[in-house]
Amino acid sequence: MDHRPQAWGRPRDDVYGAYDHSYVQENVPRSHTQQPIVTGTSVIGVKFKDGVVVAADNLASYGSLARFTDVKRLKTFQGTSVVGFSGDISDMQYLDRHLTDLALDEAYSSPETPRLSAANLHRYLSKLLYNRRSKFDPLWNHLLVAGLDDEQQPFLAAADLLGSTYSSPSLATGYGAMLAQPIMRRRVPDEEAAKMLTKEEAVELIKECMKVLFYRDARSLDTYSMAVVTKDGVETTYDNKLENQSWAFAERIRGYGTQTV
């Protein structure tokens, strides 16, 4: 009898004859993920004078089904930076494990002080995303990286599944790019305005944007995670609830929009 692990779970050759390998169709083309299955929606972030505030809800949707309601999509790195993930949850988990391994390597190489700033981490992730895209096997994620740069100034930048990168005083992924970004840009139109924003004002701005997203985005949730990154480290809360919700505006909606008649 064949006791090798390769033969486990297969019929015995001495009883049933040799296994017919044509059943497994080994000659089909190699395939990759063509469409995300379980996904997370918007991640939003805004700079203030001493750091960055980032938030994302805790929902992972299976198609249009609100399937998982306790998925943390903000991940800290070395206690100095935060990565927010929107898009495919399985690819997020892959990147999270990858970043954990990277953090362990960095901890052994530089145990006293972290060497990778948020700017370095963003550059590393953008190269990783571009590498996977070049193999026609992209990681279906849109990332926000928040923290401090090499000069200890607030840093906020994005990278998408193609490896494209950009930065701004305020950023949002997914539906938030259409719904939350105008609200944040009205309050923080440029870097000078971000330098005048306090931590409390930035947190209130993010809370207001999360409320708007819950009102308007069918793939969102009223429980969200928030991280505040400053020179003192990362302050993260994972079970924030939206407050002072009001659905009065829904009474005026008829058909596809608000009606005045």
Side-chain angles (χ1 to χ4, degrees):
M1 183 176 179
D2 190 354
H3 294 283
R4 293 176 300 169
Q6 302 93 303
W8 292 354
R10 290 202 338 216
R12 289 171 50 181
D13 291 349
D14 57 336
V15 176
Y16 299 100
Y19 186 74
D20 186 354
H21 289 276
S22 65
Y23 293 133
V24 298
Q25 299 180 358
E26 295 178 344
N27 294 324
V28 298
R30 183 177 181 181
S31 60
H32 299 301
T33 302
Q34 300 298 310
Q35 180 179 353
I37 303 300
V38 180
T39 59
T41 184
S42 309
V43 180
I44 62 176
V46 64
K47 292 181 184 178
F48 63 96
K49 64 179 182 180
D50 296 321
V52 187
V53 182
V54 187
D57 67 37
N58 296 346
L59 179 66
S61 301
Y62 181 74
S64 60
L65 174 67
R67 178 63 182 84
F68 306 102
T69 58
D70 192 28
V71 177
K72 311 301 189 297
R73 296 189 290 119
L74 299 183
K75 308 295 183 180
T76 60
F77 181 78
Q78 290 192 304
T80 60
S81 306
V82 173
V83 183
F85 297 84
S86 65
D88 191 66
I89 297 300
S90 61
D91 285 344
M92 178 195 78
Q93 293 168 334
Y94 166 80
L95 283 171
D96 185 32
R97 290 193 297 269
H98 188 88
L99 290 177
T100 299
D101 292 341
L102 178 62
L104 289 173
D105 290 341
E106 288 296 312
Y108 279 111
S109 302
S110 178
E112 300 299 330
T113 56
R115 295 185 303 177
L116 291 181
S117 66
N120 301 138
L121 179 62
H122 173 256
R123 195 174 301 114
Y124 176 86
L125 288 172
S126 68
K127 302 301 182 185
L128 175 62
L129 291 165
Y130 183 79
N131 176 264
R132 287 291 297 264
R133 164 261 182 116
S134 300
K135 295 178 179 178
F136 294 91
D137 185 19
L139 296 167
W140 291 78
N141 294 110
H142 198 166
L143 312 180
L144 290 191
V145 181
L148 303 175
D149 60 17
D150 296 328
E151 299 172 352
Q152 296 299 298
Q153 296 299 313
F155 177 87
L156 178 64
D160 63 14
L161 79 165
L162 300 179
S164 303
T165 62
Y166 50 93
S167 62
S168 176
S170 62
L171 287 174
T173 68
Y175 226 144
M178 293 171 279
L179 296 179
Q181 189 67 286
I183 300 173
M184 294 189 290
R185 280 181 177 162
R186 190 182 304 121
R187 186 68 178 83
V188 189
D190 51 33
E191 293 287 350
E192 293 301 320
K195 292 178 181 178
M196 300 297 293
L197 198 68
T198 65
K199 173 184 173 180
E200 292 74 19
E201 291 172 337
V203 169
E204 287 303 317
L205 178 60
I206 290 294
K207 288 182 178 179
E208 183 63 26
C209 291
M210 294 303 295
K211 185 184 297 185
V212 171
L213 287 173
F214 181 58
Y215 287 158
R216 296 294 185 178
D217 186 358
R219 304 292 179 268
S220 63
L221 193 67
D222 61 347
T223 303
Y224 63 96
S225 304
M226 180 185 294
V228 181
V229 189
T230 63
K231 294 179 181 179
D232 298 327
V234 180
E235 177 186 343
T236 309
T237 54
Y238 289 108
D239 294 307
N240 304 286
K241 295 287 291 186
L242 294 178
E243 301 174 351
N244 303 321
Q245 297 182 38
S246 174
W247 294 90
F249 68 89
E251 298 178 357
R252 301 190 304 273
I253 295 178
R254 300 290 185 275
Y256 290 98
T258 302
Q259 305 296 317
T260 57
V261 180

